[in-house]
Amino acid sequence: MDLALDQNGDLALSGGDLVLITGAEEVAQRIRIRLRLFLGEWFLAPEEGMPYWQRILGHRITRPALLSIFRQAIQETDGVASIESLSADEDGARRSVRIRFRVITDTGAVVEAEEVFAP
């Protein structure tokens, strides 16, 4: 069980109360949080995060290398049992990455999402 976040990454509230999430919704949120964190962004764990500035955005990266970075991050997320599909497209002009994935959770639930990551 975890606290739910809204689309802006703020704590979700319902009637003034914090919202809790579980199951596939919780795993999906964990993946989004992991993928939205830029390497070095969190002062308590500067070694955590995605190497957007260091290896992805503004760099020439091969598709296999890009997918490998995302695959590792998703696979290391608590609650993820396996990755069924994963695709990513980098837009160098916009300095953004669009990722689509489908994972199976530890409980057998399916999580599908598409996210765009940009500074």
Side-chain angles (χ1 to χ4, degrees):
M1 191 175 318
D2 207 348
L3 294 172
L5 301 179
D6 64 18
Q7 294 294 356
N8 297 320
D10 297 323
L11 289 172
L13 297 173
S14 176
D17 294 327
L18 293 171
V19 178
L20 298 175
I21 57 172
T22 60
E25 197 177 350
E26 180 181 14
V27 175
Q29 179 173 284
R30 286 179 184 165
I31 294 170
R32 280 192 307 277
I33 290 170
R34 180 179 286 271
L35 297 181
R36 287 180 181 170
L37 182 66
F38 280 59
L39 182 63
E41 180 179 13
W42 190 29
F43 75 97
L44 292 176
E47 70 284 356
E48 292 294 323
M50 299 295 293
Y52 289 115
W53 294 128
Q54 295 82 359
R55 295 190 53 204
I56 300 171
L57 300 175
H59 294 272
R60 292 182 185 202
I61 185 168
T62 64
R63 184 163 311 282
L66 181 64
L67 290 172
S68 176
I69 291 168
F70 281 104
R71 184 175 307 283
Q72 180 178 355
I74 292 170
Q75 190 65 55
E76 291 175 353
T77 303
D78 286 342
V80 172
S82 64
I83 301 171
E84 278 198 344
S85 65
L86 173 65
S87 64
D89 299 303
E90 182 192 12
D91 184 340
R94 289 194 168 96
R95 296 182 71 134
S96 66
V97 177
R98 178 180 304 275
I99 181 172
R100 290 168 296 286
F101 59 87
R102 178 181 168 100
V103 302
I104 305 299
T105 70
D106 290 343
T107 62
V110 175
V111 172
E112 285 187 271
E114 180 173 326
E115 299 280 338
V116 176
F117 302 99

